[in-house]
Amino acid sequence: MTNMSKIAIINLKGGVGKSVTACNLACILAEVYSRRILVVDLDKQANSTKFFNRFGDCNAPTMAEVLMLQNKMTDVIQHTEFPGVDIAPSNMSMLLANKNVMIDVRRPQADRIKNALEPLRSEYDYCLFDCPPDIDMATINALVAADWVIIPVDCDEWALDGLTEIMDQVRDVQHGYNRQLEVMGVLATKYDRGRYSMQTINQIANLDLPTFRNEDGSILRINYSVKVKEAKAAHKPLHRYTPNIPSSAQYKKLAELVKKIAEGE
């Protein structure tokens, strides 16, 4: 690949699997497909940063400083223990950064991350934005910078809460800042064969939005498993921690589909 494909992983709900999806997708694309991956953590909870064991150094610059135009991306990016995967970390300072960007009306607010990434466009094949469960300045910057949007949706009673607001924001960004932005797909997560899971799958199938699907046309779903939490706590992707469970194969399938769409195969 000659240009970096940028993907924002977004949902206004917490706990739907945004960080787990970002980290597993990054590791699979790097290991299985030999792609160079940059994970950009924009969530103050810093779950992707913690997954890659790059959390805790109070003196290390983070995406908060990039958002406030105090550091370049090259000052922030750290290598991880996974070959081919780098991370631009986050921490609670993102709270202050979002506030500062909102009140800094003297300078452009929405394209700061896009501009910061421009010098790196040939350094990575993929940039994955792990977005917060908010429509804040970090999320808006991610959408302005991104080529694609992935929307993880957990299979529970209120699965589609916030989806309308997400799509309103996507359309606003498309019209005002980034006409190339597209929804790559809605991703069903935490599927458990219960009533709400089946209901969610039916709702996703009827959405007027792209969805990730298997070859037989069925909705791709990431099964719920306690092993997902265990793998996250062990700082390992599922295909390394427990390769034989369905969730591991499902994330590999997701990576295959993402690669085909992003690379136009």
Side-chain angles (χ1 to χ4, degrees):
M1 296 179 65
T2 56
N3 285 326
M4 176 168 55
S5 184
K6 300 176 291 295
I7 303 171
I9 301 174
I10 180 174
N11 192 311
L12 299 187
K13 293 173 60 180
V16 301
K18 293 187 296 293
S19 299
V20 169
T21 297
C23 294
N24 277 274
L25 190 55
C27 292
I28 295 169
L29 286 170
E31 183 174 328
V32 177
Y33 297 106
S34 300
R35 297 301 189 261
R36 302 163 298 169
I37 315 299
L38 174 63
V39 178
V40 176
D41 194 347
L42 297 174
D43 191 346
K44 62 183 179 295
Q45 296 181 72
N47 287 330
S48 287
T49 304
K50 293 170 183 173
F51 177 89
F52 289 112
N53 271 319
R54 294 300 180 266
F55 185 83
D57 184 352
C58 297
N59 297 316
T62 69
M63 283 304 300
E65 285 76 38
V66 174
L67 201 56
M68 292 187 289
L69 303 178
Q70 296 174 357
N71 280 104
K72 299 177 181 178
M73 287 295 299
T74 50
D75 300 321
V76 170
I77 292 170
Q78 299 182 36
H79 298 307
T80 73
E81 65 182 80
F82 300 96
V85 181
D86 289 349
I87 185 161
S90 180
N91 59 26
M92 280 292 174
S93 61
M94 287 298 293
L95 281 169
L96 177 62
N98 276 288
K99 179 181 177 181
N100 284 353
V101 175
M102 285 184 67
I103 63 178
D104 184 8
V105 296
R106 298 175 296 108
R107 297 179 289 184
Q109 298 165 304
D111 60 358
R112 298 184 177 192
I113 292 176
K114 176 183 178 180
N115 293 336
L117 285 169
E118 186 62 25
L120 303 175
R121 60 187 303 179
S122 63
E123 299 296 318
Y124 296 96
D125 299 306
Y126 289 90
C127 174
L128 305 179
F129 297 107
D130 183 8
C131 296
D134 306 289
I135 297 178
D136 58 13
M137 291 310 303
T139 299
I140 292 170
N141 266 261
L143 293 175
V144 171
D147 305 301
W148 302 97
V149 176
I150 291 176
I151 307 172
V153 171
D154 60 332
C155 295
D156 70 4
E157 185 178 4
W158 314 111
L160 301 187
D161 278 10
L163 187 59
T164 298
E165 289 75 13
I166 292 171
M167 290 311 304
D168 285 345
Q169 189 61 57
V170 168
R171 282 187 284 268
D172 285 347
V173 169
Q174 287 171 327
H175 293 154
Y177 297 96
N178 182 3
R179 294 188 180 278
Q180 283 71 48
L181 182 64
E182 295 184 52
V183 175
M184 181 178 281
V186 175
L187 175 67
T189 63
K190 298 186 177 181
Y191 178 82
D192 65 2
R193 296 180 182 271
R195 176 165 63 95
Y196 292 132
S197 285
M198 292 303 300
Q199 175 180 301
T200 300
I201 294 299
N202 290 333
Q203 289 174 325
I204 290 174
N206 291 317
L207 288 173
D208 188 24
L209 287 172
T211 56
F212 292 103
R213 293 178 181 263
N214 298 299
E215 280 81 0
D216 62 1
S218 61
I219 300 291
L220 175 65
R221 59 205 74 180
I222 308 296
N223 285 13
Y224 172 81
S225 171
V226 69
K227 295 295 184 183
V228 175
K229 288 186 177 181
E230 291 179 6
K232 183 171 70 171
H235 307 282
K236 292 183 178 180
L238 276 168
H239 74 279
R240 288 265 196 95
Y241 183 77
T242 176
N244 296 322
I245 65 170
S247 300
S248 177
Q250 289 154 356
Y251 269 119
K252 282 189 173 182
K253 183 62 180 178
L254 174 66
E256 177 190 331
L257 294 173
V258 167
K259 176 178 174 291
K260 284 182 177 179
I261 295 170
E263 300 182 20
E265 296 179 2

